Amino acid sequence: MWQRLARRGACALAWAAVTLTAHAQGTSFVVGQLIERGADQADYARDFMAGAKVAFDAANQSGGIKGRRISLVRREAALNEAIPQAVDMIERDHVELLFGVSERLLPVLAASPEIARRNVPLLAPLSGATSTADNVLFIRPDYDHEIVAAHNRLRQFGMRRIALVTAAGFDPQLGVRLRGSIAKGNAAETLDLYTLTGDPAELAARIAPTKPTAVIVAGDTLTYATVGRALAQQGWYGFLVGLSSVNPQVAREILGSGYSGGMLLAQTVPNPASGVTKVAREHMARMKQFLDEPPSAATLSGYIAAVYLVQAMNAAGGKVTGVELRRALQTRVDVGGFTLDFTRGNRGSEFVDLNYIQGAGN
């Protein structure tokens, strides 16, 4: 553990050194990441940027973006500090693009006239929420699409009795839309809809007797794990399906050693360890070359976003800023067997797969 932390500390110092050197030369392209201080996404955000950094390191080794060296600035902020911190990064650190911002900070930053006036794009926010802001570009589908895609994959697995638990904050019409897709497919299938409004134990007592093969939870890590734990206490051990935002380590801890059901989590990038796609193979090689850490879905997400940025910038000539930078990013790039396409909207990908996670009791 201490070796891992030491490597991360060295990595942080290296980022700072690169930033200072690049500023001194006046030839840098500065990428900034702003994350919420102490939030649940801290580990994911760190790993996301670790994956991005190895892509930027490789690009810098080859001359950067048309001779512009890529430097990184990373800050943490409370929700009420997000806008002044972002503006300071733009003005003082000369950040030209905000990259991988935290989910809870995204709505504030996307709605800020201060950010919009400075024509700074927000690329690859760590969010499956929706945003209509024209300076926000997601490299992943939204949460609704994850749920629909996960449901369709379960049907392909032959599961015909599925329950959907929707937590507060998610679209209550999600279940209605799912039922509509079932009707169109004319499948012999039962979809039971539930809303978590109170005690998970009470909800589990209603779900377990129906014996669903899988329970999809549209909620955060805590909701996912507490619903699964309550179902296990009712004697249910089917497949518990969650969003890509669910932290598997935290979920396993909450589920406890008594949980022996299956854990399936949505994943919005190819399997980082499979080596099936070219980008996954390159990512594994870059992680070993520059950071010596194992790949994960988070590091691959950051790597894909960074490769997209470098290739889009190079195609545009490398010197674009402001409005021209936003236009340069609204393109289509194959990053190595995985395509991001922003020519038809602000969602570059609709890829969703289900990843089996070893449960605590397995």
Side-chain angles (χ1 to χ4, degrees):
M1 173 63 75
W2 68 267
Q3 291 174 326
R4 179 181 174 89
L5 293 174
R7 285 197 300 270
R8 290 200 182 279
C11 180
L13 290 174
W15 292 7
V18 167
T19 300
L20 291 173
T21 301
H23 282 172
Q25 295 171 343
T27 59
S28 64
F29 176 75
V30 187
V31 175
Q33 185 190 39
L34 186 62
I35 64 168
E36 186 180 10
R37 184 181 301 119
D40 293 339
Q41 278 191 312
D43 287 344
Y44 185 91
R46 179 194 61 208
D47 289 348
F48 177 91
M49 193 54 91
K53 184 186 181 298
V54 299
F56 292 146
D57 284 345
N60 283 338
Q61 228 179 36
S62 301
I65 299 173
K66 298 292 185 181
R68 300 181 70 190
R69 188 171 181 82
I70 306 160
S71 62
L72 304 172
V73 175
R74 188 175 187 268
R75 291 196 195 179
E76 298 181 355
L79 190 60
N80 63 347
E81 302 170 340
I83 294 175
Q85 285 278 15
V87 170
D88 190 58
M89 291 171 75
I90 297 165
E91 298 293 336
R92 188 173 69 172
D93 298 315
H94 309 291
V95 162
E96 297 180 50
L97 177 139
L98 289 171
F99 184 87
V101 300
S102 291
E103 182 162 57
R104 275 172 39 93
L105 300 186
L106 176 62
V108 176
L109 297 172
S112 168
E114 293 292 317
I115 307 298
R117 180 168 61 83
R118 289 168 171 82
N119 288 309
V120 175
L122 281 71
L123 177 64
L126 310 181
S127 175
T130 57
S131 175
T132 58
D134 61 5
N135 65 334
V136 178
L137 296 170
F138 298 90
I139 68 163
R140 43 151 302 147
D142 61 27
Y143 290 136
D144 276 16
H145 187 88
E146 278 191 39
I147 295 295
V148 172
H151 170 264
N152 291 339
R153 179 57 61 89
L154 294 174
R155 291 173 66 184
Q156 292 173 5
F157 291 161
M159 299 184 189
R160 290 293 178 261
R161 178 137 209 161
I162 301 169
L164 172 66
V165 176
T166 304
F170 277 80
D171 185 351
Q173 295 301 308
L174 175 59
V176 175
R177 291 196 296 275
L178 273 177
R179 276 188 170 158
S181 69
I182 292 172
K184 290 178 183 177
N186 196 27
E189 180 180 345
T190 300
L191 176 65
D192 299 317
L193 306 179
Y194 302 89
T195 302
L196 181 60
T197 57
D199 185 2
E202 183 275 332
L203 181 64
R206 292 165 50 204
I207 296 174
T210 69
K211 298 181 180 179
T213 311
V215 176
I216 304 173
V217 181
D220 60 12
T221 301
L222 181 60
T223 302
Y224 171 84
T226 53
V227 168
R229 186 182 179 99
L231 285 166
Q233 290 171 349
Q234 293 290 328
W236 178 87
Y237 298 104
F239 287 96
L240 188 66
V241 184
L243 300 171
S244 61
S245 58
V246 171
N247 184 311
Q249 289 77 27
V250 175
R252 282 198 297 260
E253 290 176 7
I254 297 173
L255 284 166
S257 58
Y259 182 80
S260 58
M263 295 174 63
L264 290 172
L265 297 181
Q267 191 166 284
T268 57
V269 293
N271 188 329
S274 69
V276 173
T277 58
K278 179 182 176 183
V279 70
R281 294 193 298 272
E282 288 182 351
H283 166 246
M284 283 190 285
R286 298 304 188 199
M287 289 293 288
K288 186 174 182 179
Q289 177 184 2
F290 292 106
L291 202 54
D292 193 24
E293 287 197 12
S296 68
T299 60
L300 180 55
S301 293
Y303 185 84
I304 286 172
V307 170
Y308 180 86
L309 173 60
V310 170
Q311 292 193 22
M313 287 282 290
N314 276 326
K319 303 296 184 181
V320 291
T321 59
V323 174
E324 290 75 19
L325 173 56
R326 284 166 51 184
R327 290 174 183 153
L329 294 174
Q330 292 169 337
T331 187
R332 184 179 187 274
V333 174
D334 182 342
V335 297
F338 187 83
T339 299
L340 293 179
D341 185 355
F342 291 105
T343 61
R344 296 173 294 178
N346 70 348
R347 293 276 170 190
S349 169
E350 293 186 347
F351 177 89
V352 179
D353 200 359
L354 287 182
N355 185 30
Y356 178 75
I357 306 296
Q358 190 75 8
N362 297 115

